[in-house]
Amino acid sequence: MATLLTAPPRIGRQSIGALGVLALALGALQSVVEPAVPLLQRELGVSPAEGALVANALLVTGAVVAPIAGKLGDRYGGRRVLIWLMTVVSAGGLLASVAPNLPVLLLGQVLQGVMVGALPLSFILVRKHLSTGQTQAAIGLVVALFTGGGMVGTLVAGPIAESLSWHWMFALPTFAIIAMTAVVTRLMPQDPPAQPDHRIDWPGVVLLSATLLALMLGLVTVTNAGLPPLAIAGIGLVVAALATCWVLVERRAVAPMVDLRMLAKPAMWNACVLTLVITISLGMVLLMLPQLFAAEADGYGFGASTTDIGLFLMPGAIAGALSDSVGGIAARRFGPRAVIVVGTVVTAATMFALASWHTEAWQLVVAKVLIAFAAGIGTTALLAGTATTVDAKDTGIATSLLVVTRVIGVALGSQLGGAILAAGGDRPTESAYVTGFVVAGAVAALSLIVVRLTKKGTRV
């Protein structure tokens, strides 16, 4: 009987393949928005700042859902929660595919954002049903296909939008997700839930979600509506009040959603600050480069179609994917601090160079490759360094905090870039792009100051 209890049911290549193809479809659905932001702005009649919110809505939801999905997977079983999440993602994709206006599209993106929780749930499944060596190979396959799906989405968004309509960018990956969820449901055995020691910290979940959503909605309102100072201060107070309530709840919770004591550790604090600074600069680039590619070729800009934008961005997407593995290796060989310094210097120098040289498409393509790779190795090095610095029992908490920080940084950068472009009117001037590149370079350079101020002997 003991043998039967300790031997989990095995899964075959078909089950792993189904998880991988599902990850591929999810990655494609997540990435179709980036090259299509200028198109969506024209079709929906929205500003660059509102266009940035379309992508940020998914990121914010993902930041909130990822840790929740892990807890629910432990409590109810990874297979069951994965099916729940895919139902929500499918509903969001279908809603986005028929969206007549920005609010409906944003709601669809919010629902799609729960897809981020699919990765930890997939890891739960393969760990329960495979040996250690097989688990590592399966996780690598799922992550690689999710990243590959992002590249596919970037490439096909333009051809689909131009040959059919932008609605089909969301519809086709969603159909694939629905089909593969059915296959996973059929092939994947039910995994027994673990017995939790404490109840889920639902007050902390709700307050964290409310804080992040209030932050993002406040950002787009402040950057797009031209509010008076008192209104801006009021929005800031609402966000601060929600964040304060969340901190108070987490400090009293028996099993908090996020262990705030982690933030008090020097290594964790430094890693969070550096991740935030690096990803703010990256977020600005992710927003501004597609806009510059799409700008009418009248002294500046290239008048690129959505398809062309996807092709221009593809080398950067590949560089970003490669940087995830290189960053961990570089951190072990040279240390996180050295990797961050090199990545920061490359990013800042590239951004400042873009302010002067942005008249040829290849200049923007090369810049995107350098920035994506440099930012990728920097954030991955921080993740790897933090994971080996904190206690083993705190690894999950620490890395979750960095993931949330990374998402917030990209979102803030996108909104900042959108605000700079929007300040020049409906059609951003060349000087607006120059200002954006200089600001992004200056933000990236702040990482050097943070590293310099880090106490000696403290690992970053």
Side-chain angles (χ1 to χ4, degrees), residues 438-455:
V438 171
V439 172
V443 171
L446 288 176
S447 300
L448 295 175
I449 299 176
V450 176
V451 172
R452 182 70 181 85
L453 295 177
T454 301
K455 295 181 179 180

Side-chain angles (χ1 to χ4, degrees), residues 15-40:
S15 299
I16 299 301
L19 282 175
V21 177
L22 177 61
L24 181 72
L26 290 170
L29 181 60
Q30 180 191 43
S31 63
V32 293
V33 168
E34 182 183 352
V37 167
L39 172 65
L40 292 174

Side-chain angles (χ1 to χ4, degrees), residues 39-106:
L39 172 65
L40 292 174
Q41 290 174 200
R42 292 195 302 270
E43 293 289 334
L44 299 175
V46 299
S47 68
E50 290 172 322
L53 186 61
V54 174
N56 287 339
L58 188 149
L59 294 175
V60 172
T61 305
V64 176
V65 168
I68 301 174
K71 287 182 178 292
L72 292 178
D74 288 334
R75 178 180 286 267
Y76 300 112
R79 176 180 176 273
R80 179 183 300 179
V81 179
L82 180 63
I83 295 171
W84 290 350
L85 259 64
M86 292 305 97
T87 301
V88 177
V89 172
S90 300
L94 293 175
L95 184 62
S97 70
V98 297
N101 50 44
L102 180 63
V104 177
L105 179 59
L106 286 176

Side-chain angles (χ1 to χ4, degrees), residues 28-413:
L29 181 60
Q30 180 191 43
S31 63
V32 293
V33 168
E34 182 183 352
V37 167
L39 172 65
L40 292 174
Q41 290 174 200
R42 292 195 302 270
E43 293 289 334
L44 299 175
V46 299
S47 68
E50 290 172 322
L53 186 61
V54 174
N56 287 339
L58 188 149
L59 294 175
V60 172
T61 305
V64 176
V65 168
I68 301 174
K71 287 182 178 292
L72 292 178
D74 288 334
R75 178 180 286 267
Y76 300 112
R79 176 180 176 273
R80 179 183 300 179
V81 179
L82 180 63
I83 295 171
W84 290 350
L85 259 64
M86 292 305 97
T87 301
V88 177
V89 172
S90 300
L94 293 175
L95 184 62
S97 70
V98 297
N101 50 44
L102 180 63
V104 177
L105 179 59
L106 286 176
L107 178 58
Q109 287 292 94
V110 168
L111 295 177
Q112 290 174 46
V114 305
M115 72 171 66
V116 178
L119 289 179
L121 291 172
S122 298
F123 302 159
I124 289 174
L125 287 172
V126 298
R127 287 185 62 188
K128 288 185 177 180
H129 297 300
L130 296 176
S131 64
T132 301
Q134 291 172 327
T135 295
Q136 293 172 346
I139 289 176
L141 175 65
V142 172
V143 173
L145 286 175
F146 184 80
T147 303
M151 298 179 190
V152 170
T154 301
L155 269 180
V156 304
I160 292 174
E162 292 167 4
S163 60
L164 299 173
S165 75
W166 66 266
H167 298 280
W168 286 96
M169 296 188 319
F170 301 101
L172 294 179
T174 302
F175 294 155
I177 290 170
I178 293 172
M180 293 315 304
T181 300
V183 174
V184 170
T185 303
R186 179 177 177 81
L187 296 179
M188 187 67 62
Q190 188 71 264
D191 56 312
Q195 294 297 324
D197 296 329
H198 305 285
R199 293 183 301 173
I200 296 176
D201 177 26
W202 288 116
V205 171
V206 172
L207 285 170
L208 176 60
S209 304
T211 301
L212 291 173
L213 290 175
L215 174 63
M216 295 312 305
L217 292 175
L219 279 173
V220 74
T221 302
V222 169
T223 57
N224 191 58
L227 297 178
L230 286 178
I232 295 175
I235 294 174
L237 287 175
V238 170
V239 174
L242 288 170
T244 301
C245 292
W246 174 66
V247 170
L248 293 175
V249 168
E250 294 298 86
R251 291 181 64 181
R252 290 174 170 79
V254 177
M257 189 66 195
V258 177
D259 189 350
L260 298 178
R261 292 173 298 180
M262 292 293 302
L263 291 176
K265 296 184 177 181
M268 191 67 225
W269 175 254
N270 293 327
C272 284
V273 173
L274 285 168
T275 298
L276 182 66
V277 173
I278 292 171
T279 52
I280 287 175
S281 179
L282 177 63
M284 295 182 68
V285 174
L286 294 177
L287 186 281
M288 289 189 296
L289 287 188
Q291 299 283 347
L292 184 53
F293 278 128
E296 294 297 330
D298 183 17
Y300 71 99
F302 305 92
S305 66
T306 303
T307 299
D308 292 334
I309 293 174
L311 292 173
F312 287 142
L313 296 178
M314 179 54 57
I318 296 174
L322 292 175
S323 69
D324 290 335
S325 57
V326 174
I329 297 173
R332 290 195 299 269
R333 183 175 181 84
F334 304 107
R337 183 190 298 267
V339 175
I340 294 165
V341 170
V342 172
T344 296
V345 170
V346 171
T347 300
T350 303
M351 297 305 304
F352 290 137
L354 266 180
S356 299
W357 297 300
H358 50 262
T359 56
E360 300 291 339
W362 68 265
Q363 296 171 342
L364 274 65
V365 172
V366 171
K368 176 65 185 298
V369 169
L370 291 175
I371 293 167
F373 190 84
I377 61 171
T379 54
T380 303
L382 286 167
L383 206 63
T386 302
T388 55
T389 299
V390 301
D391 296 336
K393 64 181 180 64
D394 294 326
T395 300
I397 297 172
T399 53
S400 294
L401 287 173
L402 288 182
V403 169
V404 172
T405 304
R406 182 171 183 169
V407 170
I408 293 174
V410 171
L412 285 172

